[in-house]
Amino acid sequence: MEIRIFKSEVEASRFVCKRLIETLDESRSVNLGLATGGTYVSTYERLVDAYQRGEVTFNHVRTFNLDEYLDLSPDHPQTYRNFMQRHLFAHVDIPAQNIHFPPTDEHADYSAYDSLIEAKGGIDLQLLGIGANGHIAFNEPGTPFDSRTHRIKLDETTRRANQRFFKRFEDVPHYAVTMGVATILDARSILLSAFGEEKAEAVRAMIKDTPDPQTPATALQKHPDVTIVLDEAAAQKVRA
Ligand code: PGA
């Protein structure tokens, strides 16, 4: 794991944006794994600015988002598809047919998402956040390391953390569909960002504890190309 610690979220997001632009420049066709949540809002904002300045194009990019809530109507502003539209897709030249989310139909074959990713050549760079409970995507504590895309019941801690995006706690969905831990580990390169002191303990465990499904992020220790991007608050227990 390469660990990069920045003074602030602003500087960290600048680094992540630069890394994304380099990846998009490198190759004619790029498969990006994308994350939602508060962590990536400023990175996507920078990316949109770079696009508007003509520094990057998305016309050769395919995207695969990590996860999606179940039980929200498609026009709900907090679906992850709508989050991505608002923060990135609506502002750049990505072809609509290149945007992918895990299936959300009630009787969906969730593993079809893994097959689709594989058929398109696999993910080149996967962005990740981390939950204060050590989850990656919506792989909550206890999710096996060999899991593929699946439906999951969200932890109460996750629902509480995401309450800030909804009017009331009761409005936060109970279920989601998420890439599995093994799906994530298949990516050629992984970049995980974490900001703020509420992430410090999960970040310490991810880096220092023996890999254990009770802290899903510890699975990343098994991957050969992982960059962890932290601000000082999230890094405080790593430095100690
Ligand atoms: P956040 O969520 O970016 O909103 O903190 C990250 C996560 O729960 O994985």
Side-chain angles (χ1 to χ4, degrees):
M1 281 179 167
E2 182 190 350
I3 300 167
R4 305 289 305 249
I5 302 172
F6 294 87
K7 277 208 163 11
S8 66
E9 180 176 338
V10 172
E11 286 174 36
S13 303
R14 193 176 294 140
F15 171 84
V16 177
C17 184
K18 196 162 155 270
R19 170 79 186 273
L20 280 163
I21 291 174
E22 281 163 10
T23 305
L24 298 187
D25 277 351
E26 250 162 42
S27 145
R28 281 187 53 75
S29 153
V30 185
N31 292 338
L32 285 183
L34 295 180
T36 51
T39 304
Y40 282 100
V41 168
S42 53
T43 296
Y44 294 147
E45 210 174 282
R46 278 177 187 284
L47 214 46
V48 170
D49 286 349
Y51 170 75
Q52 285 169 351
R53 288 194 301 268
E55 293 168 11
V56 64
T57 174
F58 290 78
N59 63 14
H60 61 314
V61 176
R62 283 193 210 98
T63 63
F64 298 88
N65 263 83
L66 281 170
D67 44 17
E68 180 58 287
Y69 287 121
L70 295 173
D71 313 323
L72 281 187
S73 79
D75 59 356
H76 193 290
Q78 295 307 332
T79 69
Y80 284 165
R81 191 183 276 275
N82 290 332
F83 174 101
M84 289 306 306
Q85 275 302 121
R86 222 165 32 245
H87 291 287
L88 183 65
F89 298 151
H91 312 288
V92 299
D93 62 345
I94 184 163
Q97 70 273 17
N98 288 7
I99 295 170
H100 303 287
F101 278 79
T104 53
D105 314 338
E106 202 183 333
H107 302 294
D109 169 14
Y110 299 119
S111 69
Y113 198 50
D114 281 69
S115 311
L116 175 72
I117 293 169
E118 204 186 319
K120 299 290 184 188
I123 288 175
D124 296 300
L125 174 62
Q126 176 68 60
L127 299 184
L128 287 179
I130 185 171
N133 66 357
H135 74 204
I136 45 173
F138 274 140
N139 293 290
E140 300 287 26
T143 307
F145 285 170
D146 63 358
S147 52
R148 295 280 163 189
T149 302
H150 62 287
R151 178 177 183 268
I152 191 144
K153 186 174 195 316
L154 299 177
D155 272 12
E156 287 306 288
T157 52
T158 298
R159 294 185 63 241
R160 291 252 170 244
N162 289 0
Q163 183 180 348
R164 67 195 196 279
F165 298 114
F166 292 83
K167 283 201 186 81
R168 301 171 310 168
F169 181 60
E170 305 87 89
D171 299 334
V172 185
H174 288 269
Y175 288 92
V177 54
T178 180
M179 280 190 201
V181 177
T183 318
I184 291 168
L185 292 179
D186 278 347
R188 281 182 271 282
S189 192
I190 295 175
L191 187 152
L192 182 145
S193 304
F195 308 134
E197 68 172 331
E198 64 280 11
K199 301 289 175 73
E201 174 52 25
V203 166
R204 185 206 60 73
M206 164 176 69
I207 294 168
K208 299 203 166 176
D209 285 356
T210 305
D212 181 334
Q214 284 310 321
T215 307
T218 55
L220 299 176
Q221 292 177 24
K222 299 168 180 286
H223 192 282
D225 183 355
V226 177
T227 307
I228 309 287
V229 178
L230 306 171
D231 67 357
E232 287 187 342
Q236 59 189 263
K237 296 191 176 179
V238 176
R239 283 182 153 162

